Amino acid sequence: MKVGGDDPRAAAVGRAIDSGRPWSPVLAEQGIRWIVVQTDQPAASRPPDLTGTTVVWSQGDLELREVADQIRVHRPRDAAVVAVDVVAAALLVGSAGMAWRGRRDQQTPV
C-alpha cells in the first residue's frame, strides 16, 4: 500500500507501511499523533504493526489509536505557502475594504 501526496512526510509513512516495521516511531517522527483504524476491512497482505499505539476509543468497526512515542512538532518552512497565505489575507482585507467603501458611498446622499 502506498500513501500518496506531495508532503514528504506521506512518503516516509508509505515506506514504513511497505517495510512491515512498527509504524509508531515513524508516525511520531512525522508529527502524527492519531490513527483511525477501520477494523472491518479485508486483511492486507501484511497486517499493520501498530505496536506503540494505544486504543483510546472504539465503537463498532472503528478505533482511534494514539501514538505513544514523543511526537515531533513540524513547522511549515515553505516560503510559497507563507506567500500564498499573505496574498490571500491581503486580498481578503482589500475586498472587505472595497465592500465597506462601496456600501458607504451608496448611503451618502447625492
Side-chain angles (χ1 to χ4, degrees):
M1 172 193 304
K2 299 275 185 207
V3 176
D6 296 332
D7 192 329
R9 295 184 299 165
V13 172
R15 286 190 298 274
I17 291 169
D18 290 342
S19 74
R21 66 182 194 256
W23 296 6
S24 181
V26 175
L27 295 173
E29 176 63 26
Q30 300 307 319
I32 300 168
R33 176 177 303 277
W34 304 101
I35 308 167
V36 176
V37 179
Q38 190 170 350
T39 59
D40 68 342
Q41 295 303 297
S45 59
R46 179 183 298 141
D49 186 344
L50 299 174
T51 304
T53 67
T54 305
V55 176
V56 294
W57 176 85
S58 178
Q59 183 173 357
D61 298 325
L62 291 177
E63 291 179 350
L64 177 63
R65 292 177 163 264
E66 184 176 14
V67 175
D69 297 17
Q70 179 74 27
I71 306 300
R72 180 174 175 221
V73 176
H74 286 266
R75 294 196 180 7
R77 294 186 183 133
D78 190 346
V81 171
V82 174
V84 168
D85 288 347
V86 168
V87 169
L91 290 172
L92 181 63
V93 169
S95 297
M98 289 173 50
W100 177 77
R101 184 174 179 181
R103 181 176 163 95
R104 187 187 65 175
D105 289 346
Q106 288 177 348
Q107 293 176 351
T108 304
V110 178

